PDB file of all heavy atoms in Angstrom:
ATOM      1  N   PHE W   1      17.489 -45.343  25.856  1.00 98.00           N
ATOM      2  CA  PHE W   1      16.680 -46.410  25.275  1.00 98.00           C
ATOM      3  C   PHE W   1      15.203 -46.293  25.633  1.00 98.00           C
ATOM      4  O   PHE W   1      14.849 -45.910  26.744  1.00 98.00           O
ATOM      5  CB  PHE W   1      17.175 -47.780  25.758  1.00 98.00           C
ATOM      6  CG  PHE W   1      18.489 -48.173  25.165  1.00 98.00           C
ATOM      7  CD1 PHE W   1      19.658 -47.979  25.862  1.00 98.00           C
ATOM      8  CD2 PHE W   1      18.547 -48.712  23.900  1.00 98.00           C
ATOM      9  CE1 PHE W   1      20.875 -48.325  25.317  1.00 98.00           C
ATOM     10  CE2 PHE W   1      19.752 -49.062  23.339  1.00 98.00           C
ATOM     11  CZ  PHE W   1      20.918 -48.863  24.052  1.00 98.00           C
ATOM     12  N   HIS W   2      14.376 -46.695  24.708  1.00 98.00           N
ATOM     13  CA  HIS W   2      12.953 -46.888  24.947  1.00 98.00           C
ATOM     14  C   HIS W   2      12.815 -48.070  25.915  1.00 98.00           C
ATOM     15  O   HIS W   2      13.614 -49.013  25.862  1.00 98.00           O
ATOM     16  CB  HIS W   2      12.252 -47.179  23.607  1.00 98.00           C
ATOM     17  CG  HIS W   2      10.784 -47.129  23.680  1.00 98.00           C
ATOM     18  ND1 HIS W   2      10.030 -48.186  24.135  1.00 98.00           N
ATOM     19  CD2 HIS W   2       9.908 -46.148  23.347  1.00 98.00           C
ATOM     20  CE1 HIS W   2       8.755 -47.866  24.079  1.00 98.00           C
ATOM     21  NE2 HIS W   2       8.648 -46.630  23.605  1.00 98.00           N
ATOM     22  N   ASP W   3      11.822 -48.051  26.781  1.00 97.00           N
ATOM     23  CA  ASP W   3      11.627 -49.152  27.729  1.00 97.00           C
ATOM     24  C   ASP W   3      11.509 -50.499  27.030  1.00 97.00           C
ATOM     25  O   ASP W   3      11.943 -51.518  27.554  1.00 97.00           O
ATOM     26  CB  ASP W   3      10.383 -48.918  28.591  1.00 97.00           C
ATOM     27  CG  ASP W   3      10.576 -47.808  29.607  1.00 97.00           C
ATOM     28  OD1 ASP W   3      11.741 -47.451  29.905  1.00 97.00           O
ATOM     29  OD2 ASP W   3       9.561 -47.290  30.107  1.00 97.00           O
ATOM     30  N   ASP W   4      10.907 -50.515  25.840  1.00 97.00           N
ATOM     31  CA  ASP W   4      10.656 -51.758  25.103  1.00 97.00           C
ATOM     32  C   ASP W   4      11.659 -51.974  23.970  1.00 97.00           C
ATOM     33  O   ASP W   4      11.328 -52.573  22.950  1.00 97.00           O
ATOM     34  CB  ASP W   4       9.243 -51.751  24.531  1.00 97.00           C
ATOM     35  CG  ASP W   4       8.183 -51.693  25.625  1.00 97.00           C
ATOM     36  OD1 ASP W   4       8.385 -52.331  26.669  1.00 97.00           O
ATOM     37  OD2 ASP W   4       7.171 -50.996  25.433  1.00 97.00           O
ATOM     38  N   VAL W   5      12.904 -51.521  24.149  1.00 98.00           N
ATOM     39  CA  VAL W   5      13.901 -51.660  23.098  1.00 98.00           C
ATOM     40  C   VAL W   5      14.099 -53.137  22.724  1.00 98.00           C
ATOM     41  O   VAL W   5      14.012 -54.017  23.591  1.00 98.00           O
ATOM     42  CB  VAL W   5      15.251 -51.027  23.517  1.00 98.00           C
ATOM     43  CG1 VAL W   5      15.888 -51.758  24.689  1.00 98.00           C
ATOM     44  CG2 VAL W   5      16.209 -50.942  22.343  1.00 98.00           C
ATOM     45  N   THR W   6      14.311 -53.382  21.457  1.00 98.00           N
ATOM     46  CA  THR W   6      14.712 -54.708  20.995  1.00 98.00           C
ATOM     47  C   THR W   6      16.136 -54.608  20.483  1.00 98.00           C
ATOM     48  O   THR W   6      16.505 -53.644  19.807  1.00 98.00           O
ATOM     49  CB  THR W   6      13.798 -55.256  19.878  1.00 98.00           C
ATOM     50  OG1 THR W   6      13.860 -54.384  18.746  1.00 98.00           O
ATOM     51  CG2 THR W   6      12.375 -55.395  20.344  1.00 98.00           C
ATOM     52  N   VAL W   7      16.945 -55.611  20.833  1.00 98.00           N
ATOM     53  CA  VAL W   7      18.355 -55.643  20.474  1.00 98.00           C
ATOM     54  C   VAL W   7      18.645 -56.983  19.815  1.00 98.00           C
ATOM     55  O   VAL W   7      18.268 -58.032  20.352  1.00 98.00           O
ATOM     56  CB  VAL W   7      19.247 -55.463  21.728  1.00 98.00           C
ATOM     57  CG1 VAL W   7      20.720 -55.529  21.373  1.00 98.00           C
ATOM     58  CG2 VAL W   7      18.915 -54.162  22.450  1.00 98.00           C
ATOM     59  N   HIS W   8      19.323 -56.940  18.659  1.00 98.00           N
ATOM     60  CA  HIS W   8      19.704 -58.166  17.966  1.00 98.00           C
ATOM     61  C   HIS W   8      21.082 -57.948  17.343  1.00 98.00           C
ATOM     62  O   HIS W   8      21.217 -57.212  16.369  1.00 98.00           O
ATOM     63  CB  HIS W   8      18.671 -58.516  16.882  1.00 98.00           C
ATOM     64  CG  HIS W   8      18.998 -59.778  16.158  1.00 98.00           C
ATOM     65  ND1 HIS W   8      18.838 -59.907  14.807  1.00 98.00           N
ATOM     66  CD2 HIS W   8      19.485 -60.955  16.598  1.00 98.00           C
ATOM     67  CE1 HIS W   8      19.196 -61.116  14.442  1.00 98.00           C
ATOM     68  NE2 HIS W   8      19.603 -61.775  15.515  1.00 98.00           N
ATOM     69  N   PHE W   9      22.102 -58.564  17.937  1.00 97.00           N
ATOM     70  CA  PHE W   9      23.475 -58.425  17.468  1.00 97.00           C
ATOM     71  C   PHE W   9      23.981 -59.784  16.991  1.00 97.00           C
ATOM     72  O   PHE W   9      23.838 -60.780  17.705  1.00 97.00           O
ATOM     73  CB  PHE W   9      24.397 -57.916  18.582  1.00 97.00           C
ATOM     74  CG  PHE W   9      24.070 -56.530  19.081  1.00 97.00           C
ATOM     75  CD1 PHE W   9      24.422 -56.159  20.364  1.00 97.00           C
ATOM     76  CD2 PHE W   9      23.419 -55.593  18.296  1.00 97.00           C
ATOM     77  CE1 PHE W   9      24.161 -54.882  20.849  1.00 97.00           C
ATOM     78  CE2 PHE W   9      23.132 -54.320  18.767  1.00 97.00           C
ATOM     79  CZ  PHE W   9      23.507 -53.962  20.041  1.00 97.00           C
ATOM     80  N   VAL W  10      24.585 -59.803  15.805  1.00 97.00           N
ATOM     81  CA  VAL W  10      25.133 -61.029  15.235  1.00 97.00           C
ATOM     82  C   VAL W  10      26.620 -60.835  15.003  1.00 97.00           C
ATOM     83  O   VAL W  10      27.035 -59.950  14.246  1.00 97.00           O
ATOM     84  CB  VAL W  10      24.435 -61.394  13.904  1.00 97.00           C
ATOM     85  CG1 VAL W  10      25.056 -62.656  13.302  1.00 97.00           C
ATOM     86  CG2 VAL W  10      22.942 -61.571  14.107  1.00 97.00           C
ATOM     87  N   GLY W  11      27.415 -61.646  15.694  1.00 94.00           N
ATOM     88  CA  GLY W  11      28.860 -61.600  15.534  1.00 94.00           C
ATOM     89  C   GLY W  11      29.384 -62.901  14.980  1.00 94.00           C
ATOM     90  O   GLY W  11      28.610 -63.772  14.575  1.00 94.00           O
ATOM     91  N   GLY W  12      30.698 -63.037  14.999  1.00 90.00           N
ATOM     92  CA  GLY W  12      31.330 -64.229  14.438  1.00 90.00           C
ATOM     93  C   GLY W  12      30.893 -65.512  15.106  1.00 90.00           C
ATOM     94  O   GLY W  12      30.602 -66.502  14.449  1.00 90.00           O
ATOM     95  N   GLY W  13      30.827 -65.513  16.439  1.00 86.00           N
ATOM     96  CA  GLY W  13      30.455 -66.719  17.160  1.00 86.00           C
ATOM     97  C   GLY W  13      29.289 -66.525  18.097  1.00 86.00           C
ATOM     98  O   GLY W  13      29.105 -67.296  19.031  1.00 86.00           O
ATOM     99  N   TYR W  14      28.500 -65.494  17.888  1.00 91.00           N
ATOM    100  CA  TYR W  14      27.399 -65.235  18.800  1.00 91.00           C
ATOM    101  C   TYR W  14      26.228 -64.581  18.070  1.00 91.00           C
ATOM    102  O   TYR W  14      26.380 -63.967  17.021  1.00 91.00           O
ATOM    103  CB  TYR W  14      27.840 -64.322  19.956  1.00 91.00           C
ATOM    104  CG  TYR W  14      28.285 -62.938  19.508  1.00 91.00           C
ATOM    105  CD1 TYR W  14      27.380 -61.893  19.393  1.00 91.00           C
ATOM    106  CD2 TYR W  14      29.611 -62.688  19.186  1.00 91.00           C
ATOM    107  CE1 TYR W  14      27.784 -60.632  18.969  1.00 91.00           C
ATOM    108  CE2 TYR W  14      30.024 -61.438  18.771  1.00 91.00           C
ATOM    109  CZ  TYR W  14      29.110 -60.411  18.659  1.00 91.00           C
ATOM    110  OH  TYR W  14      29.509 -59.177  18.235  1.00 91.00           O
ATOM    111  N   GLU W  15      25.066 -64.771  18.653  1.00 95.00           N
ATOM    112  CA  GLU W  15      23.863 -64.044  18.253  1.00 95.00           C
ATOM    113  C   GLU W  15      23.178 -63.660  19.558  1.00 95.00           C
ATOM    114  O   GLU W  15      22.865 -64.518  20.379  1.00 95.00           O
ATOM    115  CB  GLU W  15      22.951 -64.888  17.383  1.00 95.00           C
ATOM    116  CG  GLU W  15      21.756 -64.121  16.901  1.00 95.00           C
ATOM    117  CD  GLU W  15      20.960 -64.843  15.822  1.00 95.00           C
ATOM    118  OE1 GLU W  15      21.385 -65.930  15.388  1.00 95.00           O
ATOM    119  OE2 GLU W  15      19.912 -64.323  15.432  1.00 95.00           O
ATOM    120  N   TRP W  16      22.958 -62.369  19.729  1.00 93.00           N
ATOM    121  CA  TRP W  16      22.476 -61.836  20.998  1.00 93.00           C
ATOM    122  C   TRP W  16      21.132 -61.166  20.771  1.00 93.00           C
ATOM    123  O   TRP W  16      21.043 -60.197  20.019  1.00 93.00           O
ATOM    124  CB  TRP W  16      23.530 -60.854  21.513  1.00 93.00           C
ATOM    125  CG  TRP W  16      23.355 -60.379  22.908  1.00 93.00           C
ATOM    126  CD1 TRP W  16      22.902 -61.080  23.976  1.00 93.00           C
ATOM    127  CD2 TRP W  16      23.669 -59.067  23.376  1.00 93.00           C
ATOM    128  NE1 TRP W  16      22.917 -60.282  25.097  1.00 93.00           N
ATOM    129  CE2 TRP W  16      23.383 -59.053  24.752  1.00 93.00           C
ATOM    130  CE3 TRP W  16      24.161 -57.918  22.778  1.00 93.00           C
ATOM    131  CZ2 TRP W  16      23.566 -57.915  25.535  1.00 93.00           C
ATOM    132  CZ3 TRP W  16      24.348 -56.794  23.559  1.00 93.00           C
ATOM    133  CH2 TRP W  16      24.058 -56.804  24.925  1.00 93.00           C
ATOM    134  N   ASN W  17      20.090 -61.693  21.407  1.00 96.00           N
ATOM    135  CA  ASN W  17      18.746 -61.127  21.339  1.00 96.00           C
ATOM    136  C   ASN W  17      18.339 -60.694  22.739  1.00 96.00           C
ATOM    137  O   ASN W  17      18.372 -61.496  23.668  1.00 96.00           O
ATOM    138  CB  ASN W  17      17.740 -62.161  20.831  1.00 96.00           C
ATOM    139  CG  ASN W  17      17.901 -62.436  19.365  1.00 96.00           C
ATOM    140  OD1 ASN W  17      17.648 -61.578  18.537  1.00 96.00           O
ATOM    141  ND2 ASN W  17      18.366 -63.637  19.037  1.00 96.00           N
ATOM    142  N   VAL W  18      17.964 -59.422  22.874  1.00 96.00           N
ATOM    143  CA  VAL W  18      17.562 -58.881  24.165  1.00 96.00           C
ATOM    144  C   VAL W  18      16.278 -58.091  23.961  1.00 96.00           C
ATOM    145  O   VAL W  18      16.129 -57.374  22.963  1.00 96.00           O
ATOM    146  CB  VAL W  18      18.667 -57.962  24.749  1.00 96.00           C
ATOM    147  CG1 VAL W  18      18.219 -57.312  26.038  1.00 96.00           C
ATOM    148  CG2 VAL W  18      19.952 -58.738  24.961  1.00 96.00           C
ATOM    149  N   GLN W  19      15.372 -58.196  24.910  1.00 97.00           N
ATOM    150  CA  GLN W  19      14.119 -57.443  24.869  1.00 97.00           C
ATOM    151  C   GLN W  19      14.023 -56.602  26.133  1.00 97.00           C
ATOM    152  O   GLN W  19      14.036 -57.144  27.232  1.00 97.00           O
ATOM    153  CB  GLN W  19      12.915 -58.395  24.774  1.00 97.00           C
ATOM    154  CG  GLN W  19      11.593 -57.697  24.657  1.00 97.00           C
ATOM    155  CD  GLN W  19      11.433 -56.933  23.343  1.00 97.00           C
ATOM    156  OE1 GLN W  19      11.750 -57.453  22.284  1.00 97.00           O
ATOM    157  NE2 GLN W  19      10.963 -55.704  23.405  1.00 97.00           N
ATOM    158  N   GLY W  20      13.950 -55.291  25.963  1.00 97.00           N
ATOM    159  CA  GLY W  20      13.747 -54.394  27.089  1.00 97.00           C
ATOM    160  C   GLY W  20      15.020 -53.734  27.581  1.00 97.00           C
ATOM    161  O   GLY W  20      16.106 -54.301  27.548  1.00 97.00           O
ATOM    162  N   LYS W  21      14.841 -52.505  28.026  1.00 97.00           N
ATOM    163  CA  LYS W  21      15.958 -51.681  28.487  1.00 97.00           C
ATOM    164  C   LYS W  21      16.681 -52.306  29.680  1.00 97.00           C
ATOM    165  O   LYS W  21      17.912 -52.337  29.715  1.00 97.00           O
ATOM    166  CB  LYS W  21      15.433 -50.287  28.846  1.00 97.00           C
ATOM    167  CG  LYS W  21      16.459 -49.384  29.449  1.00 97.00           C
ATOM    168  CD  LYS W  21      16.054 -47.946  29.672  1.00 97.00           C
ATOM    169  CE  LYS W  21      14.695 -47.643  30.137  1.00 97.00           C
ATOM    170  NZ  LYS W  21      14.459 -46.191  30.322  1.00 97.00           N
ATOM    171  N   ALA W  22      15.955 -52.797  30.668  1.00 96.00           N
ATOM    172  CA  ALA W  22      16.584 -53.333  31.876  1.00 96.00           C
ATOM    173  C   ALA W  22      17.501 -54.512  31.552  1.00 96.00           C
ATOM    174  O   ALA W  22      18.618 -54.596  32.071  1.00 96.00           O
ATOM    175  CB  ALA W  22      15.515 -53.745  32.899  1.00 96.00           C
ATOM    176  N   GLU W  23      17.039 -55.411  30.690  1.00 96.00           N
ATOM    177  CA  GLU W  23      17.853 -56.577  30.324  1.00 96.00           C
ATOM    178  C   GLU W  23      19.103 -56.147  29.548  1.00 96.00           C
ATOM    179  O   GLU W  23      20.196 -56.661  29.777  1.00 96.00           O
ATOM    180  CB  GLU W  23      17.032 -57.564  29.499  1.00 96.00           C
ATOM    181  CG  GLU W  23      17.786 -58.844  29.181  1.00 96.00           C
ATOM    182  CD  GLU W  23      16.974 -59.850  28.381  1.00 96.00           C
ATOM    183  OE1 GLU W  23      15.768 -59.637  28.164  1.00 96.00           O
ATOM    184  OE2 GLU W  23      17.570 -60.854  27.966  1.00 96.00           O
ATOM    185  N   TYR W  24      18.943 -55.178  28.658  1.00 95.00           N
ATOM    186  CA  TYR W  24      20.089 -54.715  27.877  1.00 95.00           C
ATOM    187  C   TYR W  24      21.146 -54.069  28.780  1.00 95.00           C
ATOM    188  O   TYR W  24      22.328 -54.393  28.702  1.00 95.00           O
ATOM    189  CB  TYR W  24      19.657 -53.735  26.789  1.00 95.00           C
ATOM    190  CG  TYR W  24      20.837 -53.237  25.983  1.00 95.00           C
ATOM    191  CD1 TYR W  24      21.474 -54.072  25.078  1.00 95.00           C
ATOM    192  CD2 TYR W  24      21.348 -51.961  26.173  1.00 95.00           C
ATOM    193  CE1 TYR W  24      22.579 -53.646  24.374  1.00 95.00           C
ATOM    194  CE2 TYR W  24      22.451 -51.522  25.469  1.00 95.00           C
ATOM    195  CZ  TYR W  24      23.067 -52.373  24.566  1.00 95.00           C
ATOM    196  OH  TYR W  24      24.166 -51.946  23.885  1.00 95.00           O
ATOM    197  N   VAL W  25      20.732 -53.172  29.656  1.00 95.00           N
ATOM    198  CA  VAL W  25      21.675 -52.480  30.535  1.00 95.00           C
ATOM    199  C   VAL W  25      22.354 -53.480  31.476  1.00 95.00           C
ATOM    200  O   VAL W  25      23.558 -53.370  31.744  1.00 95.00           O
ATOM    201  CB  VAL W  25      20.988 -51.326  31.299  1.00 95.00           C
ATOM    202  CG1 VAL W  25      21.909 -50.733  32.352  1.00 95.00           C
ATOM    203  CG2 VAL W  25      20.535 -50.247  30.318  1.00 95.00           C
ATOM    204  N   ALA W  26      21.632 -54.476  31.947  1.00 93.00           N
ATOM    205  CA  ALA W  26      22.236 -55.503  32.802  1.00 93.00           C
ATOM    206  C   ALA W  26      23.327 -56.263  32.057  1.00 93.00           C
ATOM    207  O   ALA W  26      24.391 -56.560  32.619  1.00 93.00           O
ATOM    208  CB  ALA W  26      21.169 -56.464  33.320  1.00 93.00           C
ATOM    209  N   ASN W  27      23.082 -56.573  30.797  1.00 91.00           N
ATOM    210  CA  ASN W  27      24.089 -57.275  29.996  1.00 91.00           C
ATOM    211  C   ASN W  27      25.322 -56.409  29.760  1.00 91.00           C
ATOM    212  O   ASN W  27      26.454 -56.897  29.815  1.00 91.00           O
ATOM    213  CB  ASN W  27      23.485 -57.721  28.663  1.00 91.00           C
ATOM    214  CG  ASN W  27      22.718 -59.003  28.788  1.00 91.00           C
ATOM    215  OD1 ASN W  27      23.297 -60.079  28.756  1.00 91.00           O
ATOM    216  ND2 ASN W  27      21.409 -58.909  28.927  1.00 91.00           N
ATOM    217  N   ILE W  28      25.125 -55.132  29.491  1.00 91.00           N
ATOM    218  CA  ILE W  28      26.255 -54.224  29.305  1.00 91.00           C
ATOM    219  C   ILE W  28      27.046 -54.106  30.607  1.00 91.00           C
ATOM    220  O   ILE W  28      28.281 -54.116  30.603  1.00 91.00           O
ATOM    221  CB  ILE W  28      25.782 -52.841  28.806  1.00 91.00           C
ATOM    222  CG1 ILE W  28      25.246 -52.947  27.380  1.00 91.00           C
ATOM    223  CG2 ILE W  28      26.905 -51.806  28.893  1.00 91.00           C
ATOM    224  CD1 ILE W  28      26.262 -53.369  26.340  1.00 91.00           C
ATOM    225  N   SER W  29      26.356 -54.030  31.723  1.00 90.00           N
ATOM    226  CA  SER W  29      27.016 -53.945  33.021  1.00 90.00           C
ATOM    227  C   SER W  29      27.933 -55.141  33.243  1.00 90.00           C
ATOM    228  O   SER W  29      29.057 -54.991  33.739  1.00 90.00           O
ATOM    229  CB  SER W  29      25.975 -53.878  34.135  1.00 90.00           C
ATOM    230  OG  SER W  29      26.590 -53.917  35.393  1.00 90.00           O
ATOM    231  N   ALA W  30      27.488 -56.323  32.855  1.00 88.00           N
ATOM    232  CA  ALA W  30      28.300 -57.526  33.024  1.00 88.00           C
ATOM    233  C   ALA W  30      29.493 -57.546  32.072  1.00 88.00           C
ATOM    234  O   ALA W  30      30.572 -58.024  32.422  1.00 88.00           O
ATOM    235  CB  ALA W  30      27.436 -58.768  32.812  1.00 88.00           C
ATOM    236  N   SER W  31      29.320 -57.021  30.876  1.00 89.00           N
ATOM    237  CA  SER W  31      30.372 -57.070  29.856  1.00 89.00           C
ATOM    238  C   SER W  31      31.446 -56.007  30.039  1.00 89.00           C
ATOM    239  O   SER W  31      32.610 -56.226  29.721  1.00 89.00           O
ATOM    240  CB  SER W  31      29.761 -56.921  28.463  1.00 89.00           C
ATOM    241  OG  SER W  31      28.891 -57.993  28.195  1.00 89.00           O
ATOM    242  N   PHE W  32      31.062 -54.824  30.513  1.00 91.00           N
ATOM    243  CA  PHE W  32      32.000 -53.708  30.622  1.00 91.00           C
ATOM    244  C   PHE W  32      32.403 -53.534  32.088  1.00 91.00           C
ATOM    245  O   PHE W  32      32.064 -52.559  32.744  1.00 91.00           O
ATOM    246  CB  PHE W  32      31.397 -52.441  30.015  1.00 91.00           C
ATOM    247  CG  PHE W  32      31.351 -52.520  28.523  1.00 91.00           C
ATOM    248  CD1 PHE W  32      30.360 -53.247  27.879  1.00 91.00           C
ATOM    249  CD2 PHE W  32      32.325 -51.908  27.757  1.00 91.00           C
ATOM    250  CE1 PHE W  32      30.337 -53.357  26.504  1.00 91.00           C
ATOM    251  CE2 PHE W  32      32.312 -52.012  26.367  1.00 91.00           C
ATOM    252  CZ  PHE W  32      31.319 -52.739  25.746  1.00 91.00           C
ATOM    253  N   SER W  33      33.157 -54.516  32.566  1.00 92.00           N
ATOM    254  CA  SER W  33      33.583 -54.553  33.958  1.00 92.00           C
ATOM    255  C   SER W  33      34.978 -53.945  34.105  1.00 92.00           C
ATOM    256  O   SER W  33      35.581 -53.481  33.135  1.00 92.00           O
ATOM    257  CB  SER W  33      33.605 -56.007  34.441  1.00 92.00           C
ATOM    258  OG  SER W  33      34.738 -56.680  33.899  1.00 92.00           O
ATOM    259  N   ARG W  34      35.491 -54.028  35.305  1.00 94.00           N
ATOM    260  CA  ARG W  34      36.852 -53.544  35.579  1.00 94.00           C
ATOM    261  C   ARG W  34      37.903 -54.372  34.853  1.00 94.00           C
ATOM    262  O   ARG W  34      39.058 -53.973  34.788  1.00 94.00           O
ATOM    263  CB  ARG W  34      37.105 -53.558  37.079  1.00 94.00           C
ATOM    264  CG  ARG W  34      36.279 -52.530  37.800  1.00 94.00           C
ATOM    265  CD  ARG W  34      36.649 -52.415  39.252  1.00 94.00           C
ATOM    266  NE  ARG W  34      35.876 -51.301  39.802  1.00 94.00           N
ATOM    267  CZ  ARG W  34      35.336 -51.299  41.000  1.00 94.00           C
ATOM    268  NH1 ARG W  34      35.504 -52.327  41.803  1.00 94.00           N
ATOM    269  NH2 ARG W  34      34.643 -50.263  41.409  1.00 94.00           N
ATOM    270  N   GLU W  35      37.503 -55.520  34.324  1.00 95.00           N
ATOM    271  CA  GLU W  35      38.425 -56.393  33.596  1.00 95.00           C
ATOM    272  C   GLU W  35      38.246 -56.278  32.082  1.00 95.00           C
ATOM    273  O   GLU W  35      38.579 -57.197  31.350  1.00 95.00           O
ATOM    274  CB  GLU W  35      38.242 -57.844  34.042  1.00 95.00           C
ATOM    275  CG  GLU W  35      38.801 -58.114  35.423  1.00 95.00           C
ATOM    276  CD  GLU W  35      40.329 -57.967  35.474  1.00 95.00           C
ATOM    277  OE1 GLU W  35      41.018 -58.459  34.557  1.00 95.00           O
ATOM    278  OE2 GLU W  35      40.826 -57.351  36.434  1.00 95.00           O
ATOM    279  N   SER W  36      37.719 -55.148  31.635  1.00 95.00           N
ATOM    280  CA  SER W  36      37.557 -54.960  30.196  1.00 95.00           C
ATOM    281  C   SER W  36      37.981 -53.558  29.782  1.00 95.00           C
ATOM    282  O   SER W  36      38.049 -52.647  30.599  1.00 95.00           O
ATOM    283  CB  SER W  36      36.105 -55.238  29.772  1.00 95.00           C
ATOM    284  OG  SER W  36      35.220 -54.363  30.427  1.00 95.00           O
TER     285      SER W  36
END
């Protein structure tokens, strides 16, 4: 990812807006845990 990546995901019950590589990777880290 570019340091200034913009992320915008729209799902059935969510809309996810993230700005920046660090914030995006932190969110992925939380979502893709040992319980997923």
Side-chain angles (χ1 to χ4, degrees):
F1 289 98
H2 191 278
D3 288 341
D4 298 322
V5 65
T6 61
V7 179
H8 181 221
F9 296 154
V10 178
Y14 63 89
E15 183 169 356
W16 191 37
N17 288 293
V18 176
Q19 183 67 45
K21 175 173 39 179
E23 185 179 353
Y24 179 73
V25 172
N27 278 277
I28 291 297
S29 175
S31 297
F32 287 79
S33 75
R34 291 187 174 141
E35 287 294 316
S36 60

